Amino acid sequence: MLNVTRRYNKVFKTYNQGVALLTALLFVVLSVSVSTVLFMLMQVELGFADLMISGDRVQNSLKFVETEAIALLNKRNISTKKIINQSDININYITDYKFKKQVINYVNVYGNLEIQNGKFNINYLYDPVFCNNQDESSEKVTSSDSKKTITKQIFTNILLNLSTDGGEKSSIESITPDVAAKIIVDIQNWMCPVNAPIAKDNKDPYIKNIEDNNKNNQWPYQRGSQMLVGISELKLIKSIDNNLYNALIEHVSVWPLSSGNVDVKFDVRFLSPSIFAAILNEDINTAKSKLQEISKIKTSDNKKNAIIKLIEQSSAYKDQDKKEELKIISSLLGTDQNLYYLLSSNAAQGKFNITAYTLLNFNSNANVVWRSYGIL
């Protein structure tokens, strides 16, 4: 009996030791598991913190490039970050300025500043008479109306030249005069107030029902009802697809104008080949070669006179009935006190790579008009 009791105690002791060992192992496993989970959570939190820090650095770097661009335009002292040459603040008119690539606070930054006044401002197409659906052809055409007609013809020529830009075949389909006219109507409709009548050939182009949009190929949203705010707004306009948009943004821009008082002004100091080609009704390469000669002329008045002389000599304006049109075109040429620059800046660190676009207005001082991140 005593031997049985001893055996039982021995077995029970061994059993307790086994349970204790299993409990300890279980505790160790649980501890390791909890520690692993906590470590992983900590890594995630650290990752989020790192992303936030990187994001802030990238954002601050983009802001820094913008500040430097404003300082350059204002001809103030440039910072010690050396993305701008100190001597460049003495440039009279900045047309295209490339900032140096630099690493600032562990972020790679660079940027480009480009004058916009030599491009076609889409807001020049805004026409209150069109929005009110009046038939201009039935009335005496005023000088103001003639300017609008000629301005639309210049933009039409820009569109027609896109299919053979620079003599090379474009990726977009050939644009006919009828297609160009439809594009202009769609742009003008977009800018008309909501309560304005819609052009007779394009009734109710803006609807809210997406299903109807798929059936009728119409806009599924309300139109802008004002002049364009930014160039990317063109993507929302019917008849402008991605291919056309990408081809167009090299030649056009958007900056604010006084509503109802659209003062068209093609700045002779910065006239682009696409604008000049559209005015001359010639190809881009011919316009480029003529502009190279004009670029050697110093004063703005002499530049304008030289441009007008070239326009007079072009085949498009040799006929006598084109003389009045030539006078109107001459009135569209000049210089603008308000200069507009598009700043494209890029900042990259780790997974972050952000491009920012900023439209700057300069008239004695530089100011930000609008900003866009990641899309132009």
Side-chain angles (χ1 to χ4, degrees):
M1 184 68 178
L2 183 59
N3 290 334
V4 173
T5 301
R6 288 177 178 172
R7 288 197 196 97
Y8 175 79
N9 290 337
K10 188 175 182 180
V11 170
F12 184 74
K13 184 178 180 181
T14 303
Y15 172 78
N16 287 340
Q17 290 176 343
V19 170
L21 181 60
L22 288 174
T23 303
L25 288 173
L26 181 61
F27 178 79
V28 170
V29 170
L30 288 174
S31 299
V32 171
S33 299
V34 170
S35 299
T36 303
V37 171
L38 290 175
F39 178 78
M40 292 176 65
L41 289 174
M42 184 177 67
Q43 290 291 99
V44 171
E45 292 295 329
L46 289 174
F48 280 132
D50 184 56
L51 287 175
M52 291 177 65
I53 293 171
S54 297
D56 287 342
R57 284 176 176 170
V58 168
Q59 188 76 17
N60 291 336
S61 298
L62 292 173
K63 183 66 178 177
F64 170 78
V65 177
E66 180 183 294
T67 302
E68 292 290 275
I70 292 174
L72 176 64
L73 293 175
N74 289 338
K75 300 185 182 300
R76 294 175 182 163
N77 290 329
I78 307 302
S79 77
T80 58
K81 297 299 183 181
K82 305 290 187 185
I83 71 168
I84 297 174
N85 293 321
Q86 190 70 25
S87 59
D88 289 342
I89 63 174
N90 297 318
I91 300 174
N92 286 330
Y93 295 112
I94 296 171
T95 56
D96 190 3
Y97 190 91
K98 294 186 182 298
F99 296 92
K100 297 178 181 179
K101 291 185 179 181
Q102 291 287 340
V103 178
I104 302 173
N105 294 331
Y106 308 103
V107 179
N108 294 293
V109 296
Y110 64 91
N112 183 62
L113 192 65
E114 182 185 10
I115 189 73
Q116 300 296 289
N117 292 65
K119 297 184 177 183
F120 187 96
N121 185 356
I122 294 295
N123 286 329
Y124 288 158
L125 296 174
Y126 176 73
D127 188 351
V129 177
F130 171 88
C131 292
N132 292 328
N133 204 22
Q134 295 179 11
D135 186 2
E136 294 182 357
S137 62
S138 63
E139 303 174 0
K140 185 178 179 180
V141 179
T142 64
S143 175
S144 177
D145 292 330
S146 297
K147 283 185 178 181
K148 291 171 188 171
T149 301
I150 291 174
T151 301
K152 286 190 284 187
Q153 184 57 52
I154 291 172
F155 185 66
T156 297
N157 290 342
I158 291 174
L159 291 171
L160 297 177
N161 284 336
L162 287 179
S163 58
T164 55
D165 190 359
E168 298 180 359
K169 189 174 180 181
S170 172
S171 60
I172 67 172
E173 295 181 3
S174 178
I175 297 178
T176 64
D178 288 341
V179 172
K182 182 64 169 58
I183 292 170
I184 292 174
V185 167
D186 288 340
I187 293 173
Q188 290 179 314
N189 275 335
W190 176 262
M191 291 190 279
C192 288
V194 172
N195 59 354
I198 299 299
K200 294 176 181 178
D201 63 339
N202 196 12
K203 291 183 178 180
D204 300 323
Y206 300 88
I207 55 177
K208 294 181 179 179
N209 189 295
I210 295 178
E211 184 177 349
D212 289 343
N213 171 63
N214 293 334
K215 291 179 181 178
N216 302 326
N217 191 29
Q218 293 178 318
W219 288 284
Y221 37 76
Q222 187 168 287
R223 61 182 182 270
S225 303
Q226 62 181 5
M227 294 187 195
L228 271 64
V229 177
I231 192 66
S232 61
E233 200 172 342
L234 280 174
K235 289 187 172 183
L236 301 176
I237 295 176
K238 186 180 181 182
S239 73
I240 297 183
D241 58 19
N242 287 334
N243 285 337
L244 176 56
Y245 174 81
N246 291 332
L248 197 56
I249 56 174
E250 294 183 23
H251 311 286
V252 303
S253 186
V254 165
W255 60 84
L257 300 171
S258 299
S259 182
N261 182 26
V262 183
D263 184 20
V264 178
K265 186 75 71 177
F266 298 121
D267 200 312
V268 295
R269 295 169 296 178
F270 316 110
L271 202 62
S272 67
S274 60
I275 294 288
F276 197 36
I279 292 174
L280 293 173
N281 200 17
E282 295 181 352
D283 64 89
I284 297 249
N285 285 333
T286 300
K288 282 181 180 178
S289 62
K290 291 180 178 180
L291 279 179
Q292 284 178 351
E293 292 301 315
I294 292 173
S295 66
K296 300 174 184 178
I297 302 173
K298 300 297 182 182
T299 67
S300 299
D301 288 340
N302 289 339
K303 280 181 184 288
K304 179 178 177 178
N305 292 334
I307 290 172
I308 292 173
K309 187 175 181 180
L310 287 173
I311 295 172
E312 289 174 341
Q313 294 172 351
S314 67
S315 57
Y317 300 97
K318 283 187 176 180
D319 295 340
Q320 190 64 32
D321 59 350
K322 293 287 186 178
K323 297 302 179 182
E324 188 64 29
E325 187 174 333
L326 184 60
K327 288 182 182 179
I328 296 171
I329 290 177
S330 298
S331 70
L332 301 180
L333 299 171
T335 57
D336 198 337
Q337 289 184 337
N338 285 295
L339 300 182
Y340 290 91
Y341 292 87
L342 181 65
L343 172 65
S344 306
S345 51
N346 180 271
Q349 182 190 28
K351 297 180 180 179
F352 278 95
N353 191 327
I354 300 177
T355 300
Y357 299 96
T358 308
L359 185 69
L360 299 171
N361 167 236
F362 178 77
N363 184 350
S364 71
N365 281 295
N367 299 289
V368 175
V369 180
W370 53 256
R371 294 185 184 92
S372 176
Y373 292 95
I375 185 172
L376 177 59

Short mmCIF file of all heavy atoms in Angstrom, two decimals, residues 225-264:
data_model
loop_
_atom_site.label_atom_id
_atom_site.label_comp_id
_atom_site.label_asym_id
_atom_site.label_seq_id
_atom_site.Cartn_x
_atom_site.Cartn_y
_atom_site.Cartn_z
N SER A 225 -19.83 77.69 -65.37
CA SER A 225 -20.62 78.93 -65.24
C SER A 225 -19.76 80.15 -64.94
O SER A 225 -20.23 81.12 -64.35
CB SER A 225 -21.69 78.77 -64.16
OG SER A 225 -22.52 77.67 -64.44
N GLN A 226 -18.51 80.11 -65.32
CA GLN A 226 -17.61 81.25 -65.16
C GLN A 226 -16.37 81.00 -66.00
O GLN A 226 -16.19 79.91 -66.55
CB GLN A 226 -17.20 81.43 -63.70
CG GLN A 226 -16.43 80.25 -63.13
CD GLN A 226 -16.04 80.43 -61.68
OE1 GLN A 226 -16.44 81.39 -61.04
NE2 GLN A 226 -15.27 79.50 -61.15
N MET A 227 -15.53 82.02 -66.11
CA MET A 227 -14.26 81.80 -66.81
C MET A 227 -13.47 80.70 -66.11
O MET A 227 -13.65 80.47 -64.91
CB MET A 227 -13.45 83.09 -66.84
CG MET A 227 -14.07 84.20 -67.67
SD MET A 227 -12.93 85.60 -67.82
CE MET A 227 -14.06 86.85 -68.42
N LEU A 228 -12.59 80.06 -66.86
CA LEU A 228 -11.81 78.97 -66.29
C LEU A 228 -10.91 79.48 -65.18
O LEU A 228 -10.35 80.58 -65.26
CB LEU A 228 -10.96 78.30 -67.37
CG LEU A 228 -11.62 77.14 -68.13
CD1 LEU A 228 -12.82 77.62 -68.93
CD2 LEU A 228 -10.62 76.46 -69.06
N VAL A 229 -10.77 78.67 -64.14
CA VAL A 229 -9.90 79.00 -63.01
C VAL A 229 -8.50 78.46 -63.24
O VAL A 229 -7.50 79.12 -62.96
CB VAL A 229 -10.49 78.46 -61.69
CG1 VAL A 229 -9.55 78.74 -60.52
CG2 VAL A 229 -11.86 79.07 -61.43
N GLY A 230 -8.41 77.23 -63.74
CA GLY A 230 -7.12 76.59 -64.01
C GLY A 230 -7.17 75.83 -65.32
O GLY A 230 -8.25 75.48 -65.82
N ILE A 231 -6.02 75.57 -65.89
CA ILE A 231 -5.95 74.92 -67.20
C ILE A 231 -6.51 73.51 -67.18
O ILE A 231 -7.08 73.03 -68.17
CB ILE A 231 -4.49 74.93 -67.72
CG1 ILE A 231 -4.43 74.52 -69.20
CG2 ILE A 231 -3.60 74.03 -66.89
CD1 ILE A 231 -5.09 75.52 -70.12
N SER A 232 -6.41 72.80 -66.04
CA SER A 232 -6.91 71.42 -65.96
C SER A 232 -8.41 71.34 -66.10
O SER A 232 -8.96 70.27 -66.37
CB SER A 232 -6.48 70.77 -64.64
OG SER A 232 -7.02 71.48 -63.54
N GLU A 233 -9.11 72.47 -65.95
CA GLU A 233 -10.57 72.51 -66.10
C GLU A 233 -10.98 72.14 -67.52
O GLU A 233 -12.11 71.71 -67.76
CB GLU A 233 -11.08 73.89 -65.73
CG GLU A 233 -12.56 73.95 -65.37
CD GLU A 233 -12.96 75.31 -64.82
OE1 GLU A 233 -12.07 76.08 -64.41
OE2 GLU A 233 -14.18 75.58 -64.81
N LEU A 234 -10.07 72.29 -68.47
CA LEU A 234 -10.35 71.91 -69.85
C LEU A 234 -10.72 70.43 -69.96
O LEU A 234 -11.45 70.04 -70.88
CB LEU A 234 -9.14 72.20 -70.74
CG LEU A 234 -8.93 73.65 -71.20
CD1 LEU A 234 -7.61 73.77 -71.95
CD2 LEU A 234 -10.09 74.12 -72.06
N LYS A 235 -10.20 69.60 -69.04
CA LYS A 235 -10.49 68.17 -69.09
C LYS A 235 -11.96 67.86 -68.85
O LYS A 235 -12.43 66.77 -69.18
CB LYS A 235 -9.64 67.43 -68.04
CG LYS A 235 -8.16 67.36 -68.38
CD LYS A 235 -7.43 66.48 -67.39
CE LYS A 235 -5.99 66.23 -67.80
NZ LYS A 235 -5.29 65.32 -66.87
N LEU A 236 -12.67 68.80 -68.24
CA LEU A 236 -14.08 68.59 -67.93
C LEU A 236 -15.00 68.97 -69.09
O LEU A 236 -16.20 68.76 -69.03
CB LEU A 236 -14.48 69.41 -66.69
CG LEU A 236 -13.70 69.12 -65.40
CD1 LEU A 236 -14.15 70.08 -64.30
CD2 LEU A 236 -13.89 67.69 -64.96
N ILE A 237 -14.41 69.54 -70.12
CA ILE A 237 -15.22 70.08 -71.22
C ILE A 237 -15.42 69.04 -72.31
O ILE A 237 -14.49 68.35 -72.72
CB ILE A 237 -14.55 71.35 -71.79
CG1 ILE A 237 -14.54 72.44 -70.73
CG2 ILE A 237 -15.27 71.84 -73.04
CD1 ILE A 237 -13.82 73.70 -71.13
N LYS A 238 -16.66 68.94 -72.73
CA LYS A 238 -17.02 68.00 -73.79
C LYS A 238 -16.19 68.29 -75.03
O LYS A 238 -15.86 69.43 -75.32
CB LYS A 238 -18.51 68.16 -74.09
CG LYS A 238 -19.08 67.16 -75.08
CD LYS A 238 -20.55 67.45 -75.29
CE LYS A 238 -21.16 66.45 -76.26
NZ LYS A 238 -22.59 66.77 -76.50
N SER A 239 -15.83 67.24 -75.75
CA SER A 239 -15.07 67.27 -77.00
C SER A 239 -13.58 67.47 -76.79
O SER A 239 -12.81 67.49 -77.75
CB SER A 239 -15.60 68.33 -77.98
OG SER A 239 -15.27 69.64 -77.56
N ILE A 240 -13.12 67.59 -75.53
CA ILE A 240 -11.69 67.67 -75.26
C ILE A 240 -11.27 66.40 -74.51
O ILE A 240 -11.53 66.25 -73.32
CB ILE A 240 -11.33 68.92 -74.43
CG1 ILE A 240 -11.66 70.19 -75.21
CG2 ILE A 240 -9.84 68.92 -74.06
CD1 ILE A 240 -11.29 71.48 -74.52
N ASP A 241 -10.65 65.47 -75.23
CA ASP A 241 -10.19 64.23 -74.60
C ASP A 241 -8.75 64.40 -74.13
O ASP A 241 -8.15 65.47 -74.28
CB ASP A 241 -10.33 63.04 -75.56
CG ASP A 241 -9.57 63.25 -76.86
OD1 ASP A 241 -8.66 64.11 -76.91
OD2 ASP A 241 -9.86 62.54 -77.85
N ASN A 242 -8.18 63.34 -73.57
CA ASN A 242 -6.83 63.43 -73.00
C ASN A 242 -5.77 63.74 -74.06
O ASN A 242 -4.84 64.51 -73.81
CB ASN A 242 -6.47 62.13 -72.27
CG ASN A 242 -7.20 61.98 -70.96
OD1 ASN A 242 -7.59 62.98 -70.34
ND2 ASN A 242 -7.40 60.75 -70.51
N ASN A 243 -5.90 63.14 -75.24
CA ASN A 243 -4.92 63.39 -76.30
C ASN A 243 -4.94 64.86 -76.73
O ASN A 243 -3.89 65.48 -76.89
CB ASN A 243 -5.21 62.50 -77.51
CG ASN A 243 -4.79 61.06 -77.28
OD1 ASN A 243 -3.93 60.79 -76.43
ND2 ASN A 243 -5.39 60.13 -78.00
N LEU A 244 -6.15 65.39 -76.91
CA LEU A 244 -6.25 66.79 -77.31
C LEU A 244 -5.76 67.70 -76.20
O LEU A 244 -5.05 68.68 -76.46
CB LEU A 244 -7.71 67.12 -77.66
CG LEU A 244 -7.99 68.58 -78.02
CD1 LEU A 244 -7.11 69.04 -79.17
CD2 LEU A 244 -9.47 68.75 -78.39
N TYR A 245 -6.10 67.37 -74.95
CA TYR A 245 -5.67 68.18 -73.82
C TYR A 245 -4.14 68.22 -73.73
O TYR A 245 -3.54 69.30 -73.59
CB TYR A 245 -6.25 67.62 -72.52
CG TYR A 245 -5.74 68.31 -71.27
CD1 TYR A 245 -6.29 69.52 -70.85
CD2 TYR A 245 -4.71 67.75 -70.51
CE1 TYR A 245 -5.82 70.16 -69.71
CE2 TYR A 245 -4.24 68.39 -69.37
CZ TYR A 245 -4.81 69.59 -68.98
OH TYR A 245 -4.33 70.21 -67.85
N ASN A 246 -3.50 67.06 -73.83
CA ASN A 246 -2.04 66.99 -73.72
C ASN A 246 -1.34 67.75 -74.85
O ASN A 246 -0.26 68.31 -74.67
CB ASN A 246 -1.58 65.53 -73.71
CG ASN A 246 -1.99 64.81 -72.44
OD1 ASN A 246 -2.13 65.42 -71.38
ND2 ASN A 246 -2.20 63.51 -72.53
N ALA A 247 -1.96 67.76 -76.03
CA ALA A 247 -1.38 68.50 -77.16
C ALA A 247 -1.62 70.00 -77.01
O ALA A 247 -0.81 70.82 -77.43
CB ALA A 247 -1.98 68.00 -78.47
N LEU A 248 -2.74 70.36 -76.38
CA LEU A 248 -3.16 71.75 -76.31
C LEU A 248 -2.42 72.55 -75.23
O LEU A 248 -2.14 73.74 -75.41
CB LEU A 248 -4.67 71.81 -76.06
CG LEU A 248 -5.41 73.12 -76.34
CD1 LEU A 248 -5.19 73.58 -77.77
CD2 LEU A 248 -6.89 72.94 -76.06
N ILE A 249 -2.10 71.91 -74.09
CA ILE A 249 -1.57 72.67 -72.95
C ILE A 249 -0.20 73.30 -73.23
O ILE A 249 0.23 74.18 -72.49
CB ILE A 249 -1.47 71.79 -71.67
CG1 ILE A 249 -0.63 70.54 -71.93
CG2 ILE A 249 -2.84 71.44 -71.17
CD1 ILE A 249 -0.39 69.73 -70.67
N GLU A 250 0.49 72.86 -74.27
CA GLU A 250 1.76 73.49 -74.63
C GLU A 250 1.54 74.88 -75.24
O GLU A 250 2.44 75.71 -75.26
CB GLU A 250 2.53 72.63 -75.63
CG GLU A 250 2.99 71.29 -75.06
CD GLU A 250 3.82 70.51 -76.07
OE1 GLU A 250 4.38 71.16 -76.98
OE2 GLU A 250 3.89 69.29 -75.96
N HIS A 251 0.33 75.13 -75.74
CA HIS A 251 0.07 76.35 -76.50
C HIS A 251 -0.92 77.29 -75.81
O HIS A 251 -1.07 78.44 -76.26
CB HIS A 251 -0.47 76.00 -77.89
CG HIS A 251 0.35 74.97 -78.59
ND1 HIS A 251 1.59 75.25 -79.15
CD2 HIS A 251 0.13 73.64 -78.82
CE1 HIS A 251 2.08 74.15 -79.69
NE2 HIS A 251 1.23 73.17 -79.51
N VAL A 252 -1.61 76.83 -74.79
CA VAL A 252 -2.63 77.65 -74.14
C VAL A 252 -2.36 77.74 -72.65
O VAL A 252 -1.58 76.97 -72.08
CB VAL A 252 -4.05 77.09 -74.38
CG1 VAL A 252 -4.33 76.97 -75.86
CG2 VAL A 252 -4.23 75.74 -73.69
N SER A 253 -3.03 78.69 -72.01
CA SER A 253 -2.92 78.84 -70.58
C SER A 253 -4.22 79.43 -70.06
O SER A 253 -5.16 79.68 -70.83
CB SER A 253 -1.73 79.72 -70.21
OG SER A 253 -1.55 79.77 -68.80
N VAL A 254 -4.28 79.65 -68.76
CA VAL A 254 -5.46 80.26 -68.14
C VAL A 254 -5.00 81.23 -67.06
O VAL A 254 -4.19 80.86 -66.20
CB VAL A 254 -6.39 79.19 -67.51
CG1 VAL A 254 -7.40 79.84 -66.58
CG2 VAL A 254 -7.11 78.40 -68.59
N TRP A 255 -5.44 82.46 -67.16
CA TRP A 255 -5.25 83.41 -66.06
C TRP A 255 -6.50 84.28 -65.99
O TRP A 255 -7.26 84.39 -66.96
CB TRP A 255 -3.97 84.23 -66.23
CG TRP A 255 -3.86 85.07 -67.45
CD1 TRP A 255 -4.36 86.32 -67.65
CD2 TRP A 255 -3.16 84.72 -68.66
NE1 TRP A 255 -4.03 86.78 -68.90
CE2 TRP A 255 -3.29 85.83 -69.54
CE3 TRP A 255 -2.44 83.61 -69.09
CZ2 TRP A 255 -2.73 85.83 -70.81
CZ3 TRP A 255 -1.88 83.62 -70.35
CH2 TRP A 255 -2.02 84.71 -71.20
N PRO A 256 -6.77 84.89 -64.85
CA PRO A 256 -8.05 85.60 -64.65
C PRO A 256 -8.17 86.87 -65.46
O PRO A 256 -7.20 87.58 -65.70
CB PRO A 256 -8.04 85.89 -63.14
CG PRO A 256 -6.60 85.90 -62.76
CD PRO A 256 -5.93 84.90 -63.64
N LEU A 257 -9.40 87.14 -65.88
CA LEU A 257 -9.75 88.38 -66.57
C LEU A 257 -10.98 88.97 -65.92
O LEU A 257 -11.76 88.26 -65.27
CB LEU A 257 -10.04 88.13 -68.06
CG LEU A 257 -8.91 87.52 -68.90
CD1 LEU A 257 -9.45 87.14 -70.27
CD2 LEU A 257 -7.76 88.51 -69.04
N SER A 258 -11.19 90.27 -66.09
CA SER A 258 -12.39 90.90 -65.53
C SER A 258 -13.61 90.41 -66.31
O SER A 258 -13.67 90.54 -67.54
CB SER A 258 -12.29 92.42 -65.63
OG SER A 258 -11.19 92.88 -64.89
N SER A 259 -14.59 89.84 -65.61
CA SER A 259 -15.78 89.28 -66.25
C SER A 259 -16.50 90.34 -67.06
O SER A 259 -16.76 91.44 -66.58
CB SER A 259 -16.71 88.70 -65.19
OG SER A 259 -17.84 88.13 -65.79
N GLY A 260 -16.83 90.01 -68.30
CA GLY A 260 -17.56 90.92 -69.16
C GLY A 260 -16.67 91.95 -69.83
O GLY A 260 -17.11 92.71 -70.69
N ASN A 261 -15.40 91.99 -69.46
CA ASN A 261 -14.48 92.96 -70.05
C ASN A 261 -13.21 92.21 -70.47
O ASN A 261 -12.15 92.36 -69.87
CB ASN A 261 -14.16 94.07 -69.05
CG ASN A 261 -13.24 95.13 -69.65
OD1 ASN A 261 -13.21 95.32 -70.86
ND2 ASN A 261 -12.50 95.82 -68.80
N VAL A 262 -13.35 91.39 -71.49
CA VAL A 262 -12.26 90.53 -71.92
C VAL A 262 -11.31 91.32 -72.81
O VAL A 262 -11.56 91.53 -74.00
CB VAL A 262 -12.80 89.29 -72.67
CG1 VAL A 262 -11.65 88.36 -73.05
CG2 VAL A 262 -13.82 88.56 -71.82
N ASP A 263 -10.24 91.78 -72.24
CA ASP A 263 -9.24 92.56 -72.98
C ASP A 263 -8.18 91.61 -73.52
O ASP A 263 -7.26 91.21 -72.81
CB ASP A 263 -8.62 93.61 -72.06
CG ASP A 263 -7.64 94.51 -72.81
OD1 ASP A 263 -7.72 94.57 -74.04
OD2 ASP A 263 -6.79 95.14 -72.15
N VAL A 264 -8.32 91.25 -74.78
CA VAL A 264 -7.38 90.33 -75.42
C VAL A 264 -6.07 91.06 -75.67
O VAL A 264 -6.05 92.15 -76.25
CB VAL A 264 -7.95 89.79 -76.74
CG1 VAL A 264 -6.93 88.87 -77.41
CG2 VAL A 264 -9.26 89.08 -76.51
#
